[in-house]
Each structure stands twice: as structure tokens, then as C-alpha cells.
Amino acid sequence: MTNPLFYAKIILFGEYGMIEDSQGLVVPYSFYKGTLKFSDLSSEFELKSNKHLQKYSDFLAALDLSDDFKLDINRFKNDIESGLFFDSNIPQGYGVGSSGALVAAIFERYAIRKLDPEQISKDNLKKLKSVFGEMESYFHGKSSGMDPLICYMNLPILIENKENLDRVSIPEGEEGKGAIFLIDSGITGETGPMIQIFFEKMKTEGFRKTLKEEFIRYNNACIDSFLKKDMNPFFRNLKKLSYWAYEHFRPMIPESIFNIWKKGLDSNAYYLKLCGSGGGGYILGFTKDYAKAEKMLEGFQKEVIYRF
């Protein structure tokens, strides 16, 4: 039996804004992946993962999932006793969905009613997202369910608003000068504290107003022009979005990144934005000329995820 692989995910657009009904665009990222496997648990990594699964299985056993999405918890627990672990190279605390891939892998293997990701209706997609949100709340306290959904579907998803989401096609990448890339901030981030900061900020009327009137407008315009491959308005709105985040998301921007974020805005050579909740992990970069941006970002570890 081959073990299906579950890829990491990247929120290209919509971090934090999706909480307030902005659009979101989330894509799978196959560089990082995870899969459920059996072993004799002789390595520390495998043993630790197996123990985590034991605790997680108790949490799942107490969840009251609807009949369509119920899990075979007994089989899951038996497999854990037989040496099940999650073999993954997805970095934790980097905003690329390490817990999402685990949730997707468990659902795929232990759901009593099997689903075909290719055939899921738009309505069931919504229900599945909600189920995944309940399953992933173990890791983050509160979860939208979006990360596991992307990992499970392994397709780009456009979040239209809180109620609606659908599969979407990303324009074909090509070997042009432009690129979307990841920068490693060198530290791990924790989602919980960052979301806490965001909700504190949401208590002030000025922040709520600028989020709704500016951030969401620039964010949605970026998604629209990116999907149409209309790069001039895309970069125009991206600069506004990056500047807005520089002004309003400062606590979420790792210190190591702060100066290069400003350098990008001042030079127009590249623009940066948060990848996930921030605080550490990866930062997303966008540039029309990757060779130039790469030179300016010397000393930082970078990974290209899309060329245009």
C-alpha cells in the first residue's frame, strides 16, 4: 500500500484579512510534504510523533463530527499502538501548514466514508473545511480549517468570503525574470500569540476601518490581477499591500526582516508580505526581476516557488 503524500500550503494572499471576510488565495507547495507511516519507533523523531498521535487521538475521540465525516478512531488508535507516526519535512512554526498536512492525512486514512477530492461539491467543500477546523483546533485553539483543506485537496483554493470557496486555476508558471519566493526569517513563529495581537488591534476603530477600507481592497485587487496574470495592476496593489503591512503589522514582522522589508518598498526591486501569521518562519517576496532582488537579499535563505 502506498502512502499518499500531503503537501505544505502557502497563503499567497488573505492572511488575517480572511478573518474579516477578505478574499484569500491558498496554494499547495510540494517542496514540503508529510505522510503517515509505520515503524519500530527506534528513532527519537518517530517515537515523539507517535506519542503526539496518541494524545491527538484522544482529542479526536471526543469530537462530535457529523455522520458524513466520522473517523474510525479505534482503527487509528490500534495503528498508533502498532507504530504509526507522521513522517514529515514540513517545518513547524513557518506558516506552511505542518498541522494541516497531518489533519488531512488522518482524515484521508481514517474517514469512514471515503471522499474523492476531485468530485467534492462546493457545498461539501464548505462542510469539509468546517470539519477540518474542528480537527485542527487541537493545535491552534481556533482554526478556519483552510490549511488541512488545501493539503487534502492538493489544489489552489480561492476563498471568496467566509461562506464561499472554490477550486481555482493559477496561471501557468514560466521561466521569466519575475518570481514569487520565500525568505527564511531564521526564527520560528507561533500562530496563537500573533492572532492574539491581531484581535487586540481589532478592538480599535481606526485599525478596523483601515483593514476594511485599505488592506482588504488591496488584497482582493492583488488576487484578481494575479489570477488574470495582469502584472502591472498586480504590482501596483502589491506595493500598497506591502506598505500597509509595514505600517500596521509591525509586531508580526520578524526583526531580522524589518530593514529588508523597507528596502524593497524604497527601491521597488521587490515587495514583501507575511506568509501565514508572521512572527517568524517564512516571509513571501514578489519581484519583477529575481536576479536583482536576490542580489539585494544576499545573506538570506530564499526559495523560489513560482516564476513568471
Side-chain angles (χ1 to χ4, degrees), residues 206-251:
F207 181 78
R208 283 200 308 273
K209 192 170 188 287
T210 180
L211 184 89
K212 284 194 160 69
E213 291 176 5
E214 295 177 31
F215 176 89
I216 289 178
R217 190 169 87 237
Y218 306 147
N219 176 78
N220 292 1
C222 281
I223 293 174
D224 184 56
S225 48
F226 178 70
L227 291 176
K228 289 175 180 164
K229 218 172 178 182
D230 204 347
M231 286 320 199
N232 286 331
F234 174 68
F235 274 96
R236 219 170 30 243
N237 283 293
L238 187 59
K239 179 172 187 177
K240 291 174 185 169
L241 190 63
S242 180
Y243 184 75
W244 189 95
Y246 180 77
E247 290 290 302
H248 298 282
F249 279 163
R250 285 195 182 205

Side-chain angles (χ1 to χ4, degrees), residues 32 94 181-186 282-283 290 297-303:
Y32 293 120
Y94 264 66
F181 57 96
L182 296 172
I183 300 175
D184 189 342
S185 69
Y282 286 121
I283 295 293
Y290 184 65
L297 294 165
E298 227 176 332
F300 285 90
Q301 230 181 316
K302 298 167 290 291
E303 290 170 28

